[in-house]
Amino acid sequence: MAGKLYELDERKQRVLKAVIDDYIESAEPVGSRALARKHDLGVSPATIRNEMADLEMLGYLQHLHTSSGRVPSSKGYRFYVDGLIPPKPVSDEEKALIDRWYKTRVQRIDQVFEETAKLISAVTKNVSLVLAPQMTQAQFRCLQFLPLDSRRVITVLMTDAGFIENKIMEMPEGAEFEDFQRMAAVINKNLAGHTLQTIEHHSLAEIRDEIRDEGLYESALSIIQRALDTGKQERLYLGGTTKMLEQPEYHDVEKVKHMLMTLEEEELMKDILRAHIGDGLEVTIGQENEDSHFKDSSIITATYHLDGELLGTIAVLGPTRMEYAKAMSLLEYMNSNLTQVIKRFHW
């Protein structure tokens, strides 16, 4: 910041901040006369106009040909975020909303991340992303079977953290629902307390011997393996993808279509979030984004930890004209709050 601060004197900084504040609020290019009327900058509209011209020449503002006003550039937003952004703490009303949201909507660990994505989007009015951790440390609690019809059962595997894996299974030829209930009892006795990570190393010989039916054993093995495979994967939760339609920047149907298609590329989005893993908040603005679909967007990320262990990442994705102060304060608050919520599940 030292070089940038030297490049912009105090008056230019005040003009730049005023332009960005107004543009974030209105989504309309900002002119010097409007700036002079709304802000007490202590100089004439002509002086403000000259300062804005200098800021444009230095790359902090852009002049749209369709308007006499100017809008911030990625460089201007970067200066704003790094040195001019006003603090905007999470309000008491928002804290109460967050607390109620978790208390009324979350009963399982997987719901924590799903509801966190919805909550961040609801408060910021932007798209939210939550990269949830692997579940391999969760402990096996029980396996249950529920009758669906004469030949199918619903398999439900649950861990101590509330993680649930569901699957509809065909019963092997000659098997009855009572056989599945007996199999569940055997499995629960042998696997209770083992983490998903250690189950695959745990001898399943006793389970095979007690079940004494190869078809039933293979059925049990498939649901356990499915849970293991799922538990090894990080999960990505999105919230508020339709929120972008409310932003003027995304009224271009083609732009929105390409953005939505990119958001659906789960592995790509996971890679983007993993690239931002670090300590504290990280803000990537406009042209700083490597993916071409996000050149007009900003991504604010925060990584969350539990007892010093990195768990995952939460993020806000929106237009470069987003309310940075609010989004950054919310992610900081959610970062610590999310850790407390996760601790409830002893995960």
Side-chain angles (χ1 to χ4, degrees), residues 146-294:
L146 306 173
L148 181 61
D149 54 36
S150 61
R151 299 311 312 156
R152 293 182 300 170
V153 297
I154 301 174
T155 309
V156 181
L157 187 149
M158 182 181 295
T159 72
D160 65 328
F163 167 62
I164 293 177
E165 181 65 40
N166 301 317
K167 184 181 180 183
I168 296 176
M169 296 177 59
E170 296 281 344
M171 289 193 290
E173 189 67 32
E176 301 292 337
F177 179 68
E178 290 72 18
D179 296 323
F180 276 79
Q181 289 180 305
R182 180 171 57 86
M183 178 171 63
V186 172
I187 291 171
N188 292 339
K189 180 183 70 173
N190 284 276
L191 297 185
H194 287 272
T195 65
L196 296 183
Q197 187 176 40
T198 60
I199 283 178
E200 57 186 328
H201 303 297
H202 178 66
S203 172
L204 298 174
E206 293 181 16
I207 295 176
R208 181 193 290 268
D209 291 343
E210 288 192 51
I211 291 178
R212 297 178 182 177
D213 185 307
E214 196 64 28
L216 286 176
Y217 176 74
E218 291 298 329
S219 296
L221 205 59
S222 70
I223 185 62
I224 293 171
Q225 190 59 53
R226 181 185 174 96
L228 290 174
D229 292 342
T230 302
K232 292 174 183 175
Q233 299 171 4
E234 292 172 306
R235 292 191 173 189
L236 179 67
Y237 296 89
L238 294 178
T241 52
T242 57
K243 293 291 184 184
M244 66 175 62
L245 301 177
E246 301 173 10
Q247 304 286 359
E249 292 87 344
Y250 299 134
H251 284 177
D252 183 327
V253 175
E254 284 301 310
K255 181 183 291 187
V256 172
K257 183 173 71 175
H258 289 302
M259 180 78 78
L260 289 174
M261 289 173 63
T262 303
L263 289 172
E264 288 179 1
E265 295 183 35
E266 186 169 325
E267 288 307 314
L268 171 62
M269 297 311 301
K270 285 181 179 179
D271 288 342
I272 290 174
L273 293 183
R274 291 188 194 109
H276 292 281
I277 288 178
D279 294 325
L281 288 175
E282 186 172 333
V283 184
T284 309
I285 301 169
Q287 297 298 316
E288 297 171 358
N289 288 297
E290 293 184 6
D291 192 285
S292 60
H293 295 115
F294 299 134

